Amino acid sequence: MLPDVHRTVDAAWKIESAKIVASLTRMVRDVGLAEELAQDALVAALEQWPVSGIPDNPGAWLTTTAKRRALDHLRRAQRLERKQEQLAHELGQRQDREQGADARPEDEPHDVLRLVFLSCHPVLPTEARAALTLRLLGGLTAEEIARAFLVTETVITQRVAAAKRTLAEEGVPFELPDGDHLAERLSSVLEVVYLIFNEGYSATSGDDLMRPGLCLEALRLGRLLAELAPGEPEVHGLVALMEIQASRSAARTGPAGEPVPLHEQNRGRWDQLLIRRGFTAMLRAREAGGAPGPYMLQAAIAVCHAQARSAEDTDWSQIAALYEALTRVLPTPVVRLNRAVAVGKAHGPRAGLDLTDALLADPVLRDYHLLPSVRGDLLAALDRFDEARVEFRRAASLARNAAERAFLERRADELGAAAPAGPVLGEAAEEFLGRDGLDPATSRSYGQTLRRLRRALGDQQPLASLTADQVTRVFTTAWGEAAPATWNRHRAAARSFGAWASLDDLTTGLDRRTEPRPRARPLDPAQLDALWSLPDLPLREETLWRLLYESGAGVTAVLSLNVEDLDLEDRRVRAATSADGPSRARPRTRPRTSWRSGTARLLPALLAGRTRGPVFLSDRRPGPARTPEAADLCPDTGRRRLSYERAEYLFKQATRPLDPARAGYTLRRLKQDPRDC
């Protein structure tokens, strides 16, 4: 009996939760409070139904119980704010009229529609909109949403809580947008529903290609929205698009879960019921009138595929024309990439490749695995197999979904073994970074540059074919808007790599940018007094700050110090000797660093008897996947050297209360003005 009760409660909640939360939100004008009251009703059902039995109308029971709790809340609030008395009285009278088991407020559909617009409000980040929509309108728990999106339950709980808090702080009203704002707000709603569907239809990460639960939730939300807004053509267009795409689900994967491309799918496995429902929704969209919007145009493309009896019968010219129209109303890089595929099918791979190559410098697509995948298909169709193989390998390295990654690797393998062409970019980069004598900071900096080149061009890019034009394109895409110092750092790394590999100058098309370096104004005596007076300063931070202030040395130089470099008795850094040998952890020239009594008092406690390794250590041991150089590890504790980024962050956080701008100070401001010395 008990499992049946729990299943009934769960089913009733999934069906009724959106209506209940919407109705309560209208009453209490707070979506967070409304959901809490609805959850109270759910808990009451779980407690009472196993004893009293399942009511004849579970949904009405949950609704009535939730509203009674809302009325109790409002009546309690009367004692604090008397002006709510009349509101509670009126709501009480309405509640008395709705005691029948089947009673529903007349404006319930409008309440649900208001809730849809509220949960998808543009003031919220996209991820928060999706989580809140599934929570309020789908009735899903945080655990279910987390499982669907492959994140932790804590992440979803935080997203939902932050979304409710933002809605409250921004004073977002529980109302339908007026005519001037309806189109914009409806676009946000449709975007969220389609995002949920796409995450289920083609999962961005994880082991499986699809997550059917999300597809079903998106379809349910889309159908609900079509009932609530029957006069909106784009709503019906989205429903048509999702119905037809969902009809292919059974044919999209093979026996082992591998992706099956559209042109290879067994069309006999397409769900004809969903296709008919999609066609019906498309007819409703057309009957609603108006110029076709992005969802109607995408649905029309889906209809073309669904009407073709075989892949050979597909009207690619019509699809290419529809994509041309779609790029005019939705000129996103992904739509333009899809248009390139259609043009390649309709007018030949050379035409498609020209359109695809025009997208290589688009920052939005720089790590999008389908860009090199499409290029691989088009290059293979042109019999340029070596280039296609490189593209498929690069696409596989960018794909976060295991099934897609394996599929792309197989595509590369099917093109045969690569012809001997000398070293490739990935191997050369690893060899370059593994050279002796490269200090850790330089290695990290070079590694960032080469990782971006490898992701953009592929590890299998023959080194001999690497050109300055390719490097320029990667730089423009990745760092075109970066600060001059960042641009110049990556430029220097590319130049060093090219010189090491005996290539022509890879930075020919990259001009060095002027770096304005505003002088950091040192902290004044009052600011320093406030800093040293901060309560409960951690020993490591206080020692580092004192040493930076008293020595006048640079932050990087101080953080690179090892215990064996220090002469505690003379309060200075020992002079480098030939016996020291090369150290990848130390700068080539040790700074002439000395300190005064403040640092001298703190250093012995910080070192705690240690005789080797970095002076300033991080809080934790590094994980297995992030093993640093041996010179950056403490042999006694196993902890790594404190990074500049972490030290800067901690100083900013600690000094935020002291900074009138509330941004916090930088470590460079601890360096004394020479005129004050």
Side-chain angles (χ1 to χ4, degrees):
M1 176 62 179
L2 196 58
D4 291 337
V5 171
H6 285 172
R7 279 195 294 269
T8 301
V9 173
D10 184 61
W13 176 253
K14 290 286 175 66
I15 295 170
E16 301 290 338
S17 61
K19 300 173 186 175
I20 296 172
V21 173
S23 181
L24 294 177
T25 303
R26 175 169 46 82
M27 294 173 66
V28 300
R29 299 290 166 175
D30 183 334
V31 69
L33 175 59
E35 196 202 359
E36 290 178 15
L37 295 169
Q39 290 286 338
D40 287 345
L42 177 63
V43 172
L46 290 170
E47 292 174 347
Q48 296 178 31
W49 291 5
V51 178
S52 62
I54 299 172
D56 293 336
N57 191 326
W61 190 98
L62 286 169
T63 301
T64 300
T65 302
K67 286 185 175 180
R68 284 174 178 162
R69 292 175 185 271
L71 287 169
D72 289 342
H73 170 81
L74 290 173
R75 286 172 178 138
R76 284 195 300 270
Q78 288 176 356
R79 303 187 188 100
L80 301 175
E81 195 171 348
R82 298 299 302 174
K83 67 180 181 179
Q84 292 186 356
E85 181 177 358
Q86 183 60 34
L87 173 61
H89 176 69
E90 292 174 359
L91 289 171
Q93 287 184 326
R94 183 185 301 174
Q95 176 63 32
D96 292 338
R97 295 194 300 268
E98 296 171 355
Q99 289 301 317
D102 297 321
R104 289 287 187 274
E106 293 180 0
D107 57 353
E108 180 183 83
H110 292 126
D111 282 347
V112 177
L113 190 56
R114 290 185 186 100
L115 186 63
V116 171
F117 280 101
L118 185 69
S119 64
C120 297
H121 198 281
V123 75
L124 301 175
T126 302
E127 297 83 357
R129 289 184 232 168
L132 189 62
T133 300
L134 287 171
R135 176 73 169 169
L136 299 183
L137 290 135
L140 273 64
T141 65
E143 181 184 3
E144 289 171 324
I145 301 170
R147 191 163 58 244
F149 282 105
L150 298 186
V151 296
T152 65
E153 185 176 350
T154 302
V155 167
I156 294 299
T157 301
Q158 290 173 344
R159 284 182 188 172
V160 171
K164 293 176 186 174
R165 186 166 58 250
T166 300
L167 291 174
E169 291 172 351
E170 296 291 332
V172 176
F174 183 66
E175 62 186 21
L176 295 177
D178 56 32
D180 294 338
H181 297 95
L182 180 61
E184 176 188 349
R185 293 287 302 282
L186 185 61
S187 174
S188 175
V189 172
L190 298 180
E191 177 191 3
V192 170
V193 174
Y194 197 39
L195 179 150
I196 294 170
F197 179 84
N198 273 332
E199 187 59 30
Y201 189 71
S202 186
T204 55
S205 58
D207 296 330
D208 300 320
L209 182 67
M210 298 183 65
R211 298 180 202 142
L214 281 180
C215 288
L216 292 174
E217 282 301 323
L219 275 168
R220 191 178 70 80
L221 290 170
R223 292 165 185 161
L224 172 66
L225 199 56
E227 292 177 8
L228 297 172
E232 295 294 335
E234 277 292 84
V235 174
H236 295 294
L238 175 58
V239 173
L241 174 61
M242 294 191 298
E243 299 277 16
I244 295 174
Q245 285 186 325
S247 73
R248 309 177 199 143
S249 297
R252 290 190 67 235
T253 55
E258 71 277 12
V260 178
L262 180 61
H263 67 278
E264 296 179 9
Q265 289 177 15
N266 178 359
R267 300 188 178 214
R269 300 188 67 196
W270 288 4
D271 189 321
Q272 295 302 313
L273 174 60
L274 289 176
I275 290 176
R276 288 194 296 273
R277 294 183 70 156
F279 287 176
T280 301
M282 190 63 180
L283 287 174
R284 289 175 180 161
R286 289 171 177 163
E287 290 169 357
Y295 293 108
M296 279 188 67
L297 289 169
Q298 290 177 82
I301 293 168
V303 167
C304 285
H305 286 297
Q307 288 175 330
R309 293 182 176 275
S310 66
E312 293 72 23
D313 293 335
T314 304
D315 189 349
W316 282 108
S317 295
Q318 175 66 12
I319 292 174
L322 287 168
Y323 269 118
E324 176 67 28
L326 182 60
T327 56
R328 287 195 289 269
V329 298
L330 190 68
T332 66
V334 173
V335 169
R336 291 163 62 200
L337 179 61
N338 288 335
R339 174 177 172 249
V341 174
V343 169
K345 294 286 188 181
H347 306 298
R350 180 70 259 176
L353 187 62
D354 289 342
L355 292 176
T356 304
D357 287 349
L359 299 172
L360 291 174
D362 195 307
V364 174
L365 298 178
R366 72 178 189 182
D367 289 332
Y368 187 51
H369 69 286
L370 292 184
L371 176 59
S373 175
V374 168
R375 289 198 82 242
D377 281 327
L378 294 168
L379 288 166
L382 292 168
D383 296 334
R384 293 162 60 177
F385 300 122
D386 287 342
E387 295 172 80
R389 189 183 303 105
V390 169
E391 290 299 292
F392 284 130
R393 297 284 187 210
R394 186 166 84 89
S397 71
L398 294 174
R400 292 189 292 151
N401 181 280
E404 282 192 290
R405 187 162 53 248
F407 169 75
L408 291 165
E409 289 285 1
R410 283 196 300 274
R411 290 297 312 276
D413 293 339
E414 288 167 0
L415 295 176
V424 294
L425 177 58
E427 295 172 355
E430 293 294 338
E431 185 179 349
F432 175 73
L433 295 173
R435 294 172 299 151
D436 291 334
L438 200 63
D439 65 83
T442 304
S443 179
R444 282 193 298 271
S445 178
Y446 284 0
Q448 291 173 356
T449 308
L450 292 176
R451 272 196 301 275
R452 173 48 53 195
L453 286 174
R454 292 167 66 177
R455 286 177 71 85
L457 303 175
D459 277 351
Q460 300 304 310
Q461 163 94 24
L463 194 61
S465 67
L466 184 62
T467 66
D469 286 344
Q470 289 176 312
V471 173
T472 299
R473 189 188 74 228
V474 174
F475 269 61
T476 303
T477 304
W479 302 298
E481 303 299 324
T486 301
W487 171 274
N488 292 336
R489 175 169 60 84
H490 290 298
R491 178 181 177 274
R495 191 168 188 171
S496 296
F497 175 69
W500 171 85
S502 301
L503 300 172
D504 292 336
D505 187 1
L506 297 178
T507 61
T508 300
L510 303 174
D511 293 331
R512 193 178 188 284
R513 295 179 177 177
T514 303
E515 298 183 36
R517 293 184 60 86
R519 183 172 174 271
R521 182 168 53 85
L523 298 178
D524 60 37
Q527 291 170 321
L528 286 168
D529 288 343
L531 175 64
W532 306 134
S533 300
L534 286 173
D536 303 320
L537 277 182
L539 176 62
R540 181 189 63 188
E541 275 63 63
E542 185 178 4
T543 307
L544 173 62
W545 303 345
R546 287 278 185 183
L547 180 54
L548 288 170
Y549 173 69
E550 294 181 358
S551 68
V555 180
T556 302
V558 169
L559 289 174
S560 71
L561 291 173
N562 291 334
V563 179
E564 54 267 37
D565 298 336
L566 306 182
D567 186 333
L568 297 181
E569 186 173 340
D570 287 347
R571 300 182 180 178
R572 62 181 177 85
V573 173
R574 292 191 179 96
T577 66
S578 58
D580 290 333
S583 172
R584 298 178 67 180
R586 302 184 188 115
R588 289 184 174 85
T589 303
R590 283 184 193 158
R592 295 181 177 180
T593 305
S594 60
W595 53 88
R596 300 198 294 274
S597 59
T599 305
R601 173 176 53 83
L602 298 168
L603 269 175
L606 177 71
L607 301 181
R610 290 188 290 119
T611 59
R612 299 174 299 163
V615 173
F616 298 100
L617 299 174
S618 62
D619 298 314
R620 301 176 182 175
R621 293 182 175 87
R626 303 188 61 169
T627 304
E629 298 289 339
D632 278 334
L633 279 175
C634 173
D636 299 322
T637 66
R639 289 186 286 158
R640 69 178 301 163
R641 187 183 305 275
L642 179 65
S643 69
Y644 189 117
E645 294 77 12
R646 181 63 179 168
E648 184 84 314
Y649 169 79
L650 292 172
F651 189 61
K652 283 187 175 182
Q653 289 296 105
T655 56
R656 198 180 298 273
L658 310 180
D659 180 12
R662 291 295 183 265
Y665 303 137
T666 62
L667 287 167
R668 290 173 59 198
R669 295 191 62 182
L670 284 170
K671 196 168 185 177
Q672 299 179 66
D673 191 325
R675 292 170 296 183
D676 296 336
C677 298

